[in-house]
Amino acid sequence: MHIPDGYLSPSTCAVLYAASAPCWITALRRTRRRLLARSLPQLALFAAFSFVIMMFNLPLPGGTTGHAVGVGIAAIVLGPWSSLLAISLALTIQALFFGDGGITTLGANCFNMAIAGSFAAWVLYRLISLGAAPESRRRVLAAALAGYGAINFSALLAAIEFGVQPMLFHDAAGAPLYAPYPLHVAIPAMMAGHLTVAGAAEAVMSAGLFGYLRRNEPVLVGLSAPPAESARPLRAPLWGVLALAMLLTPLGILAGGTAWGEWSAADFSDSSARTQMVAASGHMAAPSAAPTGLAHLTNLWTAPMPDYAPRFVKSAAFGYLLSAIFGVGLICAVVWVIFWIAGRFGAGDDGVPVASSTGRRLRAGVVSRTLRGFSRALERTLVQEDTARARGLLQAVDPRVKLIGLLGLVVTAALSHRLAVLAGLLALGVALAVASRLSLLRLVTRVWLVAFSFTALIAAPALFLTPGAPLAHFAGLTITANGAHSALLLLARVEAAVTLGTLLVLTTPWMHLLKALRTLFVPVEVIALLAMTHRYVVLLVETSNAMFESRQSRMVGRLSPRQERRLMIETGGVLMSKTLALGNEVFLAMRARGFRGEVRLIEEFRLRPSDAVAGVGFAAAIVLALSAGR
Amino acid sequence: MEQSPVNAAQSEAAMAAPLEFEIQDLRFEYDRVPALNGLSLRVREGERISLLGANGSGKSTLLRLMDGLYFAQAGTLRFRGEPLTEDALEDEAFALRFRRQVGLVFQNPDVQLFNPTVFDEVAFGPLQLGWSRQEILDRVMSTLQWIGAEHLKDRAPYRLSGGEKKRVAIASVVVLDPDVLLLDEPTAALDPRSQSQVIELLESWNDGRKTVITATHQLEALSEISGRAVVLRQGRVVADAAPEAVLADTELLEAANLVHVHRHEHGGVAHKHVSPYLRHEHHK
């Protein structure tokens, strides 16, 4: 459920950043004292764990991806404050390195998954396990429900954020500017995947890991010594509630005032209702539009069984779901074909961890295959700094100037409402990539294709579902002008933002990026955590790979899916204890050599005249795009 | 504290040297499992000490406490007269001074090597202590030269061989030129050639004024690396003497699990051999 750049309006993003900020600050304040002396490895481990877990994702109808988050077990072990920090870090690294979840939407993603998720999981676990004996089965159940509840709560929040977009933000013709589906489509579409697949994955993982840790590391789950945080009174969630109220109030007021976007299939099939609705909107250029794509779409599903179709089949949500499922299949096929071709010609040097892209081969050991794919892709992305050390245009720019400039451009892309401006920003990104000697093939496979596969999924049904003047007919469906505009806008914005964001990571060594963040007043604890988490991700994947290989070398034949699931949970537990032990040692070794959280580099950042030129260039591009993009 | 079976053998000069560490009745436990049980020890400047003991006798724990990484639940640990506590190390000035003066080489080099290149690895400590750029470049290069690893400077540490890793790990600590060097099993898991390389390296570094404390359960190189042997058992000092005296005390070594006794019979006569080695010559 990572919301990419461009799906939420800048004002929604700002509101959610504002809601997240007090939580981050409070969490840092609460953990600060112990963090650099002791708890950093543990926190970073859960961040890394969550990072890895979240990469096992599948595109879901409803806008984003479905995956477990690891927030259930993190909140139980770390308590809500440290957990929200850990998950936020995981999301930050994903946004920076993989464009998984946007930079402008990072506040929203952190709010949904890290903050709301952590508190939901923690409260659920405490409530359900209240008074239960340490060895009670109720605690395992509590862990499962904490994970299940938390992830669904997060998904619901994301769906609401999606759903309010078309009501609040659309152009003069009524075409949605951001996520195109209203609440009654977004919520069922989003929840369908999370109540079932992703929720179950999170519940199984929470319960499984809790059981493992209770047996093997009882101190970690607070069952042999009192955990540091549980001793505090239950005043903790107060801030969370406050932040939630802060968030919902302005949205609620705005949403109450407008009914636009709250259309349904029934309204469209009833011509009087349609005219009414269209007139009420006051924005529609052609109120007498031919039957909308939405109605067509609904008819398509009900056609084979017109008399027996249950009512829900006629709903827009169901129509959307079905078209989205077709979309997923289609996109998976396209992506698979491209990877197959890339692999054929030896060009597939960049194994992107898209779980769905490997098609049928997936069945032969999803876990071990995915893991191996991960470690390859991760090593390339996280360890190899070849592109960052190459001699190119952006590599020569001071990291601070680059950080501000490129992030500014990403925000600009999120703010732009014009296709031409977005195309210009995308072209700028490509030009910068070429000037920085980045492989375009790598950019295509790693960035564009991934962003495209998710966005096309969202955008495709919008072609038909958005009311407006008909543009073209396609297989009995009508593509509306508004729909085409919305879809293209979304796609262009996402691609532009992702390209510009990726340039930052590809042209800057990780430690330089951290130091640049540090000089921009990001707290030293956050930087230390980011550095540690980054290190852990590599460690986790390496260790898990080695463990799988050693296990597989001792096994004959193929595992049943059930066995493989069990193996995965157990491996996860062992992996956690192992990595934590190793990570604690690494942290001690760092402290033994004087590490106190600060990022220190031999290279001093020095602003040169060329950096001033770069800064002016960035500023000019931003100002130009902003003035033209509205 | 129980009486040591062997009396401490220390030279007149060492007795006169100022105290480096003063440890009194130290207690430490991990998750309620005791590791140190009222351990007392005094270390003077310039001493070369071997900490002997089987796995789990508390050697590593003691080194970590002495390096200010763990903090005891009871007892006192003073470094040059100042108590080494969590609060004391919160003080930036004290922490910088202490980290400059005391270095610890971890047993597992994989733990110690966490930077992208060998050069970065060795430069990590000096950077943390805020040295100047030129000073760092000079010191790192001369240290790499000293361990014979200049050619490895751009390699990733985790891709090195076991012996190379160990030498880089030692370099990453020695680059700070500490007054006190704590070594946790410096030759463990190394082949014989790498072992002697590491020992020679440490010998060449020590100019006689450095304090070196080496935890080990390998008795072969004992007198080469130390002038005093401290034997730990179950978190306490059970012997503190010259290495030769400790090596001669079979009963003590057996009790501390440092040797194994091989009993057998031939010609109807039962007898036994005592050896620190798994394979040893039987009848000379």
Side-chain angles (χ1 to χ4, degrees):
Chain A
M1 90 199 72
H2 296 58
I3 305 175
D5 279 318
Y7 283 60
L8 300 182
S9 73
S11 47
T12 314
C13 293
V15 166
L16 289 163
Y17 262 114
S20 298
C23 299
W24 287 329
I25 292 167
T26 314
L28 265 180
R29 280 225 186 99
R30 282 173 164 257
T31 47
R32 179 168 272 163
R33 230 192 87 67
R34 291 266 154 245
L35 195 62
L36 289 179
R38 205 167 287 166
S39 52
L40 188 130
Q42 218 184 64
L43 220 155
L45 171 71
F46 277 92
F49 198 74
S50 163
F51 175 95
V52 173
I53 291 293
M54 287 194 284
M55 293 198 76
F56 284 87
N57 58 23
L58 284 164
L60 272 191
T64 49
T65 49
H67 51 76
V69 175
V71 67
I73 191 71
I76 294 168
V77 173
L78 301 173
W81 296 103
S82 296
S83 164
L84 79 83
L85 275 186
I87 311 288
S88 297
L89 285 165
L91 291 167
T92 306
I93 292 185
Q94 280 188 320
L96 282 175
F97 279 95
F98 293 96
D100 202 359
I103 292 169
T104 53
T105 50
L106 185 62
N109 286 326
C110 287
F111 186 83
N112 300 341
M113 283 183 267
I115 296 169
S118 293
F119 278 107
W122 187 71
V123 167
L124 277 171
Y125 175 74
R126 306 290 292 180
L127 279 181
I128 300 169
S129 68
L130 202 69
E135 67 282 359
S136 154
R137 291 190 79 167
R138 182 143 60 91
R139 285 189 181 271
V140 179
L141 182 74
L145 290 176
Y148 187 80
I151 197 171
N152 279 295
F153 184 47
S154 303
L156 182 64
L157 286 177
I160 291 173
E161 287 152 22
F162 277 133
V164 297
Q165 298 306 310
M167 288 185 232
L168 303 179
F169 312 100
H170 46 85
D171 66 10
L177 290 168
Y178 300 96
Y181 306 109
L183 283 172
H184 67 90
V185 175
I187 291 177
M190 193 76 176
M191 297 316 290
H194 283 92
L195 285 168
T196 53
V197 182
E202 180 80 25
V204 168
M205 198 181 62
S206 279
L209 284 178
F210 176 83
Y212 177 87
L213 293 176
R214 184 167 68 171
R215 275 195 309 280
N216 299 292
E217 312 261 347
V219 182
L220 218 53
V221 286
L223 290 178
S224 105
E229 270 187 71
S230 68
R232 293 170 187 271
L234 212 129
R235 216 181 34 194
L238 207 65
W239 273 103
V241 173
L242 201 67
L244 190 70
M246 245 176 64
L247 156 80
L248 292 177
T249 321
L251 291 184
I253 292 165
L254 285 172
T258 169
W260 192 90
E262 288 288 335
W263 69 78
S264 74
D267 290 338
F268 284 107
S269 58
D270 172 1
S271 67
S272 67
R274 186 177 68 238
T275 333
Q276 224 175 32
M277 191 202 74
V278 162
S281 82
H283 299 301
M284 307 284 278
S288 59
T292 58
L294 185 56
H296 262 285
L297 203 60
T298 316
N299 284 341
L300 196 68
W301 315 128
T302 52
M305 40 177 182
D307 298 332
Y308 307 104
R311 202 180 135 59
F312 76 89
V313 171
K314 290 186 178 157
S315 75
F318 187 75
Y320 172 80
L321 263 180
L322 280 184
S323 56
I325 288 165
F326 279 129
V328 174
L330 191 71
I331 286 154
C332 287
V334 169
V335 171
W336 183 81
V337 165
I338 291 173
F339 274 95
W340 183 77
I341 292 170
R344 274 301 275 234
F345 294 100
D349 67 334
D350 223 296
V352 181
V354 177
S356 55
S357 67
T358 40
R360 269 192 67 227
R361 283 185 299 151
L362 263 177
R363 264 193 263 152
V366 187
V367 177
S368 40
R369 274 186 179 284
T370 322
L371 266 177
R372 220 166 298 150
F374 273 166
S375 52
R376 271 205 307 273
L378 271 173
E379 193 169 329
R380 273 195 202 97
T381 316
L382 297 173
V383 183
Q384 255 186 21
E385 301 204 312
D386 52 342
T387 56
R389 302 268 180 198
R391 291 179 170 276
L393 181 69
L394 282 176
Q395 286 90 336
V397 177
D398 184 281
R400 289 165 297 180
V401 174
K402 202 167 20 172
L403 179 71
I404 298 174
L406 285 172
L407 288 188
L409 282 172
V410 170
V411 174
T412 307
L415 282 166
S416 297
H417 296 162
R418 288 215 181 151
L419 267 176
V421 171
L422 288 169
L425 285 172
L426 185 59
L428 177 66
V430 174
L432 285 173
V434 172
S436 307
R437 303 186 179 202
L438 300 179
S439 141
L440 279 184
L441 183 76
R442 193 163 165 176
L443 207 61
V444 168
T445 52
R446 209 180 87 188
V447 181
W448 291 351
L449 214 63
V450 177
F452 174 79
S453 60
F454 289 134
T455 308
L457 178 67
I458 319 283
L463 289 173
F464 314 107
L465 291 174
T466 315
L471 191 71
H473 296 277
F474 173 73
L477 294 170
T478 309
I479 296 174
T480 65
N482 276 349
H485 186 67
S486 284
L488 277 174
L489 204 59
L490 195 61
L491 199 62
R493 195 186 297 119
V494 170
E495 294 288 7
V498 165
T499 307
L500 292 164
T502 313
L503 285 179
L504 182 63
V505 187
L506 285 181
T507 62
T508 320
W510 175 233
M511 292 311 281
H512 292 206
L513 195 60
L514 287 182
K515 194 178 175 184
L517 282 169
R518 180 75 188 110
T519 56
L520 299 176
F521 310 108
V522 174
V524 60
E525 289 85 357
V526 174
I527 301 293
L529 271 168
L530 274 172
M532 195 77 185
T533 307
H534 181 263
R535 203 160 276 154
Y536 260 133
V537 171
V538 181
L539 198 64
L540 260 178
V541 175
E542 273 172 12
T543 319
S544 62
N545 223 0
M547 279 171 62
F548 260 98
E549 273 167 15
S550 79
R551 278 221 190 196
Q552 237 146 26
S553 70
R554 281 175 280 155
M555 274 181 329
V556 184
R558 189 178 285 185
L559 290 176
S560 72
R562 195 192 149 85
Q563 282 171 315
E564 203 171 82
R565 269 201 305 279
R566 234 189 54 204
L567 180 69
M568 186 172 167
I569 289 285
E570 250 173 46
T571 309
V574 178
L575 194 59
M576 238 177 184
S577 335
K578 251 188 169 173
T579 319
L580 185 61
L582 194 55
N584 268 322
E585 291 279 300
V586 172
F587 185 55
L588 282 181
M590 290 170 76
R591 286 203 4 245
R593 279 151 75 191
F595 175 73
R596 294 172 67 79
E598 198 63 73
V599 182
R600 294 177 195 274
L601 298 173
I602 286 204
E603 298 94 332
E604 302 263 334
F605 289 171
R606 218 171 275 141
L607 287 175
R608 284 159 303 178
S610 60
D611 292 315
V613 175
V616 171
F618 279 126
I622 291 169
V623 170
L624 194 70
L626 277 182
S627 57
R630 282 271 159 186
Chain B
M1 191 194 141
E2 63 188 78
Q3 196 59 43
S4 304
V6 186
N7 286 325
Q10 286 170 327
S11 70
E12 289 289 321
M15 291 295 274
L19 269 180
E20 204 86 84
F21 283 100
E22 194 178 2
I23 300 168
Q24 197 65 52
D25 206 21
L26 214 55
R27 281 170 203 281
F28 182 84
E29 50 186 46
Y30 298 95
D31 302 340
R32 295 181 189 165
V33 180
L36 295 184
N37 277 314
L39 181 142
S40 299
L41 185 69
R42 284 163 167 240
V43 178
R44 290 183 184 278
E45 196 182 297
E47 278 197 287
R48 290 154 72 230
I49 300 179
S50 288
L51 279 182
L52 299 174
N55 295 330
S57 58
K59 300 187 303 277
S60 296
T61 309
L62 178 59
L63 290 184
R64 282 155 187 233
L65 282 150
M66 292 171 87
D67 198 39
L69 297 174
Y70 292 167
F71 301 95
Q73 280 103 5
T76 56
L77 195 162
R78 287 170 184 278
F79 173 68
R80 296 187 178 170
E82 290 182 81
L84 196 57
T85 60
E86 201 160 9
D87 288 338
L89 279 168
E90 292 266 310
D91 175 48
E92 177 130 14
F94 178 77
L96 284 183
R97 194 152 31 100
F98 180 76
R99 294 293 172 216
R100 172 78 173 72
Q101 288 162 339
V102 181
L104 167 63
V105 178
F106 282 66
Q107 179 180 352
N108 177 0
D110 284 325
V111 160
Q112 189 138 11
L113 307 177
F114 45 76
N115 284 286
T117 68
V118 168
F119 182 91
D120 292 332
E121 194 61 63
V122 180
F124 182 86
L127 275 170
Q128 302 305 315
L129 300 186
W131 293 10
S132 77
R133 182 187 148 85
Q134 198 51 49
E135 206 179 345
I136 293 174
L137 289 175
D138 293 346
R139 286 285 302 155
V140 171
M141 284 321 288
S142 66
T143 309
L144 284 176
Q145 217 163 13
W146 172 66
I147 62 164
E150 288 159 289
H151 62 292
L152 300 176
K153 87 180 170 60
D154 295 319
R155 292 265 299 278
Y158 63 91
R159 297 242 168 92
L160 302 177
S161 75
E164 288 169 339
K165 275 185 191 173
K166 197 77 208 190
R167 280 185 286 149
V168 172
I170 290 171
S172 72
V173 174
V174 165
V175 67
L176 297 171
D177 197 27
D179 301 331
V180 181
L181 186 61
L182 308 171
L183 297 156
D184 197 351
E185 311 253 2
T187 56
L190 293 183
D191 61 55
R193 191 162 152 265
S194 304
Q195 281 188 20
S196 59
Q197 273 180 344
V198 164
I199 290 171
E200 275 166 32
L201 207 56
L202 293 170
E203 283 293 302
S204 74
W205 174 71
N206 193 351
D207 57 4
R209 285 181 297 114
K210 307 287 188 186
T211 310
V212 183
I213 303 176
T214 313
T216 182
H217 50 218
Q218 292 178 312
L219 304 180
E220 301 99 287
L222 205 57
S223 34
E224 268 178 69
I225 60 168
S226 60
R228 176 181 167 197
V230 174
V231 183
L232 299 192
R233 194 177 160 217
Q234 292 174 352
R236 279 178 214 208
V237 176
V238 292
D240 188 346
E244 297 76 20
V246 168
L247 285 175
D249 191 339
T250 316
E251 227 167 280
L252 167 74
L253 293 177
E254 201 185 334
N257 263 329
L258 285 163
V259 290
H260 70 117
V261 179
H262 182 115
R263 289 187 177 78
H264 63 157
E265 271 180 40
H266 33 158
V269 186
H271 66 253
K272 63 180 185 179
H273 302 273
V274 182
S275 167
Y277 312 107
L278 200 57
R279 288 173 174 279
H280 49 93
E281 227 174 305
H282 274 190
H283 303 283
K284 286 187 183 164

